[in-house]
Amino acid sequence: MSGPRVFVCDDEALIRMWLEEHLREQGYTPRVFADGTSLLRAVESEPVDLVLLDLRLPDGSGTDFLESIKERVPTVPVIMISAYGEVETAVAAVRAGAHHFLEKPIELAELFLLIEQALESSRLSSEVDRYREGFRWQFSDVSFVGRSASCRKVAGLIARVAASGQSPNVLIRGESGTGKDVVARAIHAEGPRREFPFLRLDCTAIPEHLVESELFGHARGAFTDAKEFKPGLVELADHGTLFLDEIGDMPVGAQAKLLGFLETRTFRQVGGIRDITVDVHVIAATNRDLEAATEAGDFRRDLFFRINVLPIELLPLQKRPEDIAPLAAHFINVLSRELRGPPRRLTPEAIEVLERAEWPGNAREIRNVLERVLLLEDSETITGAHLRSHLRDEASEHLQYVLPAGGVYLDDVEKNMIRQAMERTGGNKTAAARLLGLCRDTLRYRLEKHGIE
């Protein structure tokens, strides 16, 4: 792995060659320039960690170029070099933003000491800036990242629930990929139940006739395939937390039994003959409009009121774009460790590309794109070009329909899109409905209408 990038600008060729050689020997990655104009172009287009800048250059004053560098990259440290060591000149350079002023002839030991000090100072300054720009709340081993007002509000609610020592039913609402599971885990990790299990049930992934069994367990012989006794997640999560993900897709029959359990904390297994009492903190999450679902009869109104004791809403990234850069930086750090690769960083252009992009998949989509970039790109820095390429790949994965020559009927378009959604989700009607932006009953009607199995 190459070392910090150091730009050297001096009008004397021998000085440039000498500095380039010794910097490379010390593990740095040097690049040399004979004039300030070339240096400035490179600073604008390439990542740089430190600049060694001569005071007198053929195309202008080093102090003027120093000011231009600081306008473009305020955080990069600049060490001024000159054979004309005057106190006034040194003071002017420092006032203009130079980290230090060094006289020729250059002592290598002093130079490398100054470089290390400047790089360390820059690193610490970047850390401070990063925490000013984006907050990272650490709940035990769970990170919740963002700097928007809505993120601060959610973090405050998590901390308040933990500090209270109580276990109110929590309903987390938000689009897919906004981090509902992260919030649920953070509530568990900070609360009094942290030493006990955290179990999750994805209500969209379990066939309707098995949801009740997954939740409450079943006795042997309770139904055809029940060859052995099986405890349910409610029982296994005793004293801990049960997270019901996408509860809006839970079948109505299971909703009734869940409501009874939430009111009494007592349940009976499928085919069981005795009541079991447990102490479980229930956290639910959904991306559906539950109020509309209750009006349509798809979700029990009494269950909605029971689970909605403490509502937490996660806004989509489109409504909090200031969280995109902190999230991206967090994912890069996490993914670099997971992939056992070198640390990477985003260029300012890359951050701009991220912030301008639409993220229908929210934080999960950002993570997927960055993971693909880290796997397929070898560069130490992630540029806008890297991201644009992989964003195109991501966009191409969405459902699409190509109009054939000679015209097309609208029913054909609808039928094709539904087929794509069913194939993409492996026949899961709930997931396909979500992909199409439909409710499950509407999708079921259209499947029958088009004769799609």
Side-chain angles (χ1 to χ4, degrees):
M1 185 177 69
S2 57
R5 292 173 60 87
V6 178
F7 288 359
V8 178
C9 186
D10 196 294
D11 61 342
E12 297 183 45
L14 289 176
I15 294 291
R16 295 197 301 272
M17 293 172 59
W18 182 73
L19 285 172
E20 182 179 22
E21 178 183 355
H22 287 287
L23 284 165
R24 203 177 299 280
E25 287 177 353
Q26 292 297 315
Y28 298 102
T29 304
R31 186 168 176 205
V32 297
F33 305 88
D35 58 76
T37 303
S38 300
L39 168 69
L40 205 56
R41 280 200 297 265
V43 167
E44 290 175 335
S45 60
E46 300 176 26
V48 57
D49 297 300
L50 182 137
V51 177
L52 296 177
L53 180 60
D54 194 12
L55 183 63
R56 298 199 176 186
L57 297 169
D59 53 348
S61 165
T63 306
D64 291 338
F65 284 112
L66 166 66
E67 292 175 352
S68 297
I69 291 170
K70 286 297 182 179
E71 287 175 1
R72 290 159 174 78
V73 192
T75 58
V76 67
V78 180
I79 297 176
M80 301 295 297
I81 300 174
S82 177
Y84 308 90
E86 299 177 356
V87 174
E88 292 81 7
T89 307
V91 170
V94 172
R95 283 178 176 170
H99 176 79
H100 207 280
F101 189 93
L102 194 61
E103 288 187 60
K104 296 178 181 178
I106 298 171
E107 292 288 338
L108 285 175
E110 182 183 9
L111 172 64
F112 291 131
L113 177 62
L114 286 175
I115 289 175
E116 286 302 309
Q117 289 175 346
L119 290 173
E120 179 64 10
S121 176
S122 176
R123 185 188 67 79
L124 292 174
S125 177
S126 296
E127 288 289 332
V128 171
D129 288 343
R130 185 153 51 246
Y131 281 104
R132 283 175 180 164
E133 291 177 0
F135 299 96
R136 176 184 174 188
W137 293 271
Q138 192 68 28
F139 300 104
S140 297
D141 60 342
V142 182
S143 294
F144 183 69
V145 180
R147 65 187 179 195
S148 64
S150 65
C151 275
R152 290 197 292 271
K153 180 179 178 181
V154 171
L157 286 171
I158 295 171
R160 184 173 297 180
V161 172
S164 72
Q166 303 301 311
S167 300
N169 295 333
V170 177
L171 178 60
I172 307 169
R173 309 177 76 168
E175 293 181 1
S176 295
T178 49
K180 298 187 291 293
D181 56 336
V182 173
V183 172
R185 290 179 185 278
I187 293 172
H188 174 78
E190 283 298 289
R193 300 172 183 268
R194 66 177 69 91
E195 302 299 328
F196 295 96
F198 176 92
L199 299 182
R200 173 179 176 270
L201 175 68
D202 184 349
C203 298
T204 65
I206 307 296
E208 291 187 13
H209 65 284
L210 292 180
V211 172
E212 190 175 333
S213 173
E214 285 292 318
L215 271 176
F216 302 108
H218 60 251
R220 182 178 179 181
F223 47 86
T224 304
D225 295 326
K227 298 179 181 178
E228 301 290 342
F229 156 77
K230 178 186 175 183
L233 293 178
V234 167
E235 187 173 357
L236 294 173
D238 192 17
H239 300 296
T241 300
L242 176 63
F243 177 42
L244 302 175
D245 200 7
E246 302 304 344
I247 193 172
D249 294 312
M250 180 178 285
V252 175
Q255 291 177 29
K257 191 161 184 179
L258 174 63
L259 175 64
F261 166 71
L262 292 175
E263 291 177 341
T264 64
R265 300 293 163 172
T266 300
F267 69 96
R268 184 174 294 185
Q269 295 173 341
V270 177
I273 58 173
R274 65 183 181 89
D275 291 336
I276 301 172
T277 300
V278 293
D279 175 21
V280 175
H281 184 200
V282 175
I283 301 175
T286 184
N287 63 8
R288 293 188 65 187
D289 181 346
L290 290 188
E291 290 86 351
T294 60
E295 292 297 327
D298 294 332
F299 199 83
R300 293 181 63 107
R301 188 181 300 275
D302 45 7
L303 177 59
F304 171 67
F305 290 127
R306 177 62 66 177
I307 63 176
N308 196 36
V309 175
L310 178 64
I312 296 178
E313 183 176 6
L314 300 181
L315 297 180
L317 279 178
Q318 275 190 331
K319 294 186 178 180
R320 48 186 179 97
E322 62 268 42
D323 290 336
I324 291 175
L327 270 172
H330 170 69
F331 286 143
I332 287 174
N333 289 334
V334 171
L335 290 166
S336 294
R337 290 195 299 270
E338 290 181 358
L339 298 173
R340 298 184 180 180
R344 311 282 189 94
R345 63 180 180 177
L346 292 159
T347 65
E349 182 202 8
I351 293 174
E352 186 177 348
V353 170
L354 287 170
E355 291 180 336
R356 287 183 176 179
E358 294 183 4
W359 298 104
N362 294 292
R364 185 180 294 124
E365 186 179 2
I366 290 181
R367 180 185 171 112
N368 290 346
V369 170
L370 291 173
E371 184 172 10
R372 188 155 61 235
V373 171
L374 294 182
L375 284 168
L376 300 179
E377 306 292 347
D378 295 327
S379 174
E380 291 183 8
T381 55
I382 298 174
T383 67
H386 292 147
L387 287 168
R388 278 190 288 269
S389 171
H390 294 286
L391 281 170
R392 283 195 295 272
D393 292 345
E394 189 80 7
S396 69
E397 293 177 6
H398 295 308
L399 299 179
Q400 52 186 305
Y401 186 84
V402 179
L403 295 177
V408 64
Y409 290 104
L410 188 58
D411 272 1
D412 292 336
V413 176
E414 181 178 272
K415 185 174 181 180
N416 181 278
M417 299 292 277
I418 291 173
R419 282 191 184 280
Q420 284 191 56
M422 292 296 288
E423 290 171 3
R424 185 77 56 84
T425 59
N428 185 317
K429 293 186 181 69
T430 300
R434 188 178 304 115
L435 188 61
L436 291 163
L438 304 173
C439 71
R440 190 170 53 187
D441 288 341
T442 301
L443 176 62
R444 189 178 292 119
Y445 163 75
R446 294 183 180 180
L447 286 169
E448 293 175 0
K449 169 187 171 183
H450 295 295
I452 300 174
E453 296 293 333

